[in-house]
Amino acid sequence: DAGVIQSPRHEVTEMGQEVTLRCKPISGHNSLFWYRQTMMRGLELLIYFNNNVPIDDSGMPEDRFSAKMPNASFSTLKIQPSEPRDSAVYFCASSYVGVSGYTFGSGTRLTVV
Amino acid sequence: AQSVTQLGSHVSVSEGALVLLRCNYSSSVPPYLFWYVQYPNQGLQLLLKYTTGATLVKGINGFEAEFKKSETSFHLTKPSAHMSDAAEYFCAVSENTGNQFYFGTGTSLTVIP
């Protein structure tokens, strides 16, 4: 298995632009998580899905952030409009509910200028 | 509710010395406990996990951790530090459904030659 695949690896965009981050979970995993990592705040859970259904989005900072999981093999995290304070590394992780633990992707480093 | 406390955001050890990274948790149900390692510019990688059974668990790269229920601890140890162990280490707890994780704030390990 190729693991959790995130794209792009790096994204530089101007303030006000729309940004879409993509994630392909491990086949067979039924839970998917989006995290944001910054020096100031560490790892923050933004949202997670079970069986493609959003379960908890309380970590989504504000309405500019949205996430979708149209099927078991794909999820997106969208920021519109983007702001400099959104600059961070965004991780996607997947798991099979139970004991497996998370498998993380390599992350997307977002820079908003 | 679950939470994790990692004592010491920065730990420095000499090469060949004992590594001890501390993790205490709170959980209202029997926990699953995990240690993850993050190397620079990479995602988080599972080091080891405790779910049930033997309280001393061994992971990759010579690391091990012991679940002590009476102390609500899950400290990570390695007998002899190697330069390649320099990284950020995260402790995490989840309910015994293994679903949503709660991460500590991380401990940065520096290994001094």
Side-chain angles (χ1 to χ4, degrees):
Chain A
D1 199 315
V4 177
I5 299 173
Q6 291 188 248
S7 63
R9 286 298 308 274
H10 302 273
E11 177 82 34
V12 180
T13 190
E14 292 185 347
M15 182 173 62
Q17 295 299 305
E18 177 180 295
V19 176
T20 299
L21 311 181
R22 297 173 176 78
C23 176
K24 177 180 169 55
I26 289 177
S27 177
H29 281 188
N30 58 1
S31 294
L32 183 139
F33 307 81
W34 282 101
Y35 280 86
R36 178 171 67 177
Q37 186 178 39
T38 61
M39 289 291 291
M40 293 297 294
R41 301 172 71 94
L43 269 171
E44 301 175 276
L45 176 64
L46 300 178
I47 185 172
Y48 79 93
F49 297 83
N50 276 355
N51 298 314
N52 313 336
V53 176
I55 302 300
D56 184 353
D57 65 354
S58 60
M60 297 286 262
E62 47 198 276
D63 292 345
R64 298 184 297 107
F65 285 69
S66 62
K68 294 182 179 179
M69 192 166 186
N71 56 61
S73 59
F74 185 65
S75 177
T76 59
L77 178 67
K78 185 178 294 186
I79 308 173
Q80 166 63 17
S82 58
E83 298 182 2
R85 59 193 168 119
D86 302 331
S87 297
V89 181
Y90 291 80
F91 288 104
C92 176
S94 70
S95 74
Y96 182 76
V97 175
V99 303
S100 64
Y102 289 7
T103 300
F104 280 81
S106 298
T108 295
R109 182 174 296 277
L110 173 65
T111 304
V112 183
V113 298
Chain B
Q2 287 80 33
S3 67
V4 173
T5 301
Q6 291 184 240
L7 290 176
S9 58
H10 298 276
V11 171
S12 294
V13 300
S14 297
E15 190 174 16
L18 172 71
V19 176
L20 171 60
L21 304 183
R22 299 178 185 274
C23 173
N24 288 88
Y25 69 91
S26 66
S27 177
S28 56
V29 298
Y32 288 171
L33 295 159
F34 304 81
W35 275 99
Y36 282 83
V37 61
Q38 184 180 30
Y39 299 104
N41 299 314
Q42 295 187 25
L44 280 73
Q45 178 184 0
L46 182 66
L47 263 182
L48 50 79
K49 64 183 179 184
Y50 167 80
T51 54
T52 59
T55 56
L56 180 64
V57 293
K58 297 183 185 299
I60 61 173
N61 302 337
F63 284 93
E64 60 183 37
E66 186 171 10
F67 169 56
K68 292 186 176 180
K69 184 178 180 180
S70 61
E71 299 178 7
T72 61
S73 69
F74 191 58
H75 302 330
L76 182 71
T77 60
K78 182 174 180 177
S80 176
H82 192 272
M83 296 299 294
S84 61
D85 294 328
E88 187 89 12
Y89 291 81
F90 293 90
C91 183
V93 63
S94 74
E95 294 183 354
N96 55 12
T97 59
N99 199 358
Q100 186 175 353
F101 280 33
Y102 298 86
F103 282 90
T105 51
T107 297
S108 177
L109 176 66
T110 299
V111 181
I112 303 166

